[in-house]
Amino acid sequence: MLRKSKGSILVTTVIIFSIVIIIAMTSIGVSYNNLSIFNLDYKDETLKQHSYGAMEIVHSNILREVNLIKEYAIDEDDFYISFSGLSFMNNIKYISKCNIKNASASIPSRISINREEKSINFEILITIKDGNYIKKLKSKVKILNPFNEDLSTEDKIDIVKLYDYKEI
């Protein structure tokens, strides 16, 4: 009788330790998955903030270029012609001054001049890369013609408008 109880105690102990090990391994796997999900969310949020920061730098470049064009433009036609050159596009895409690494700005569509609305419209695409992760942010830009007499005082102050932000 003594032998039977020692064997069953050994089997019961092995079964209990197996169950404890299975629960411990499952808990480790769940915590590892949660950590991976958190890291992905953190990387996504970081890249999103960097892309918005790069978009703000492009916005300030556009404002600087528009103010220069306003200074030297003689009339409405001269204002529109100034946007058709490559120097305008290259100057607004220049974001290497910022500390955001692996960031690039591009203009995926042509710059369109709308003489009826007296505005210039185009899109800006910001691309941020970090290893295997890529984040793209697209925004539309509308530049109002300052030679338009129909502009309100608020529009004369803020003639560059970024709108319709989209993450791609």
Side-chain angles (χ1 to χ4, degrees):
M1 184 158 170
L2 193 57
R3 279 189 168 196
K4 285 185 179 180
S5 67
K6 283 187 179 180
S8 63
I9 290 174
L10 182 62
V11 170
T12 306
T13 306
V14 168
I15 291 173
I16 290 172
F17 278 131
S18 298
I19 292 171
V20 169
I21 288 173
I22 290 172
I23 291 172
M25 293 302 283
T26 305
S27 299
I28 290 171
V30 167
S31 67
Y32 179 74
N33 285 337
N34 285 344
L35 183 62
S36 297
I37 291 170
F38 172 76
N39 285 338
L40 285 175
D41 286 342
Y42 178 75
K43 180 71 73 177
D44 180 58
E45 194 62 33
T46 303
L47 290 176
K48 185 193 304 186
Q49 293 302 320
H50 286 312
S51 62
Y52 278 111
M55 185 64 76
E56 287 300 317
I57 291 170
V58 169
H59 183 245
S60 68
N61 288 346
I62 293 171
L63 286 172
R64 185 184 68 236
E65 289 297 313
V66 167
N67 285 333
L68 283 173
I69 291 171
K70 267 185 2 183
E71 254 181 59
Y72 295 111
I74 299 167
D75 60 355
E76 191 172 316
D77 289 331
D78 195 25
F79 181 76
Y80 289 134
I81 289 171
S82 301
F83 289 98
S84 61
L86 286 176
S87 65
F88 171 75
M89 289 190 288
N90 290 336
N91 289 342
I92 65 171
K93 294 187 304 184
Y94 183 69
I95 58 173
S96 63
K97 288 188 247 179
C98 68
N99 292 334
I100 302 171
K101 295 183 180 176
N102 299 323
S104 64
S106 62
I107 301 174
S109 61
R110 296 187 57 162
I111 295 177
S112 66
I113 297 171
N114 189 342
R115 291 188 185 263
E116 292 173 5
E117 289 184 8
K118 298 191 178 205
S119 66
I120 298 157
N121 302 310
F122 58 95
E123 293 179 341
I124 295 289
L125 179 67
I126 302 292
T127 305
I128 305 284
K129 295 178 185 176
D130 187 10
N132 294 332
Y133 304 103
I134 297 174
K135 188 64 139 182
K136 293 183 179 185
L137 180 67
K138 192 176 200 179
S139 176
K140 294 182 180 180
V141 179
K142 184 175 190 174
I143 302 172
L144 302 174
N145 187 342
F147 292 102
N148 183 3
E149 288 88 26
D150 298 335
L151 287 179
S152 66
T153 41
E154 181 181 311
D155 285 340
K156 284 185 181 181
I157 293 170
D158 187 24
I159 63 171
V160 176
K161 300 184 186 306
L162 269 73
Y163 63 97
D164 199 18
Y165 289 94
K166 289 182 187 174
E167 290 181 36
I168 300 174

